[in-house]
Amino acid sequence: MSLRSLLDPDRRWMRLALSEAERAAEAGEVPIGAVVVKGSTIVGRGHNQVETLGDPTAHAEMLAIGAACQTVGSKFLDGCTLYVTLEPCPMCAGALVWSRLERLVYGAFDEKAGAASTLYDIPQDPRLNHRVETVTGVMAEESADLLRRFFAARRPGASGDGV
């Protein structure tokens, strides 16, 4: 690991989001993980629990945002950054805006449901009342590789190339 990567805070926090994604994979969930950071403190974390909870809204981002709101004692996450391993879907991207998150940093692009630059750009939509600064592609290959391995193990013969 290079000195640059050790000093890059976005990579540092994304590594923790990847750890959350690995927890999801261990539970048989799609391996997506997220952490919400305020200053130098994690205020929320989550990993996909859609199957575990039987809840289609139990995405990593939604769980991390909910935990962060509890921690900071507000429905607004001013001054916070969400690190997530995969580009948020429309539901999660909307939650970023409504929670007034300051920054979004994500790893892999989602060609099928991405709503933070790929199919839509909800966090930057000027028609909405808040915009979220977005940084893309941080540790994208590591994030995509985790997803590819997960789906390849479940779909014999599939390459996992849609990630």
Side-chain angles (χ1 to χ4, degrees):
M1 186 178 316
S2 71
L3 180 59
R4 183 183 150 270
S5 69
L6 285 171
L7 297 175
D8 181 349
D10 286 345
R11 290 179 62 82
R12 174 182 167 220
W13 297 119
M14 187 61 77
R15 275 193 281 286
L16 294 173
L18 278 163
S19 293
E20 286 293 322
E22 290 167 0
R23 289 183 63 200
E26 290 166 7
E29 297 276 356
V30 175
I32 300 169
V35 294
V36 177
V37 176
K38 185 166 188 159
S40 61
T41 304
I42 292 178
V43 293
R45 60 176 69 228
H47 56 273
N48 269 8
Q49 294 189 55
V50 172
E51 302 302 326
T52 302
L53 299 177
D55 179 354
T57 69
H59 290 195
E61 302 95 309
M62 300 297 282
L63 297 172
I65 288 168
C69 288
Q70 290 253 305
T71 300
V72 302
S74 172
K75 64 182 179 181
F76 298 125
L77 296 174
D78 298 313
C80 292
T81 299
L82 172 75
Y83 294 88
V84 62
T85 57
L86 183 67
E87 179 181 1
C89 72
M91 173 183 67
C92 295
L96 304 177
V97 172
W98 301 135
S99 67
R100 296 186 189 168
L101 201 77
E102 184 174 318
R103 288 178 77 227
L104 162 67
V105 178
Y106 70 84
F109 292 90
D110 187 346
E111 300 294 327
K112 295 180 181 177
S117 70
T118 302
L119 298 180
Y120 309 100
D121 195 358
I122 293 171
Q124 288 294 312
D125 192 319
R127 297 168 293 183
L128 300 174
N129 69 337
H130 178 74
R131 270 159 280 321
V132 181
E133 176 190 337
T134 303
V135 177
T136 66
V138 175
M139 299 186 74
E141 191 51 43
E142 295 89 336
S143 298
D145 188 54
L146 185 57
L147 287 159
R148 276 193 287 272
R149 287 192 323 259
F150 177 83
F151 286 115
R154 280 154 185 73
R155 297 179 186 149
S159 67
D161 284 343
V163 178

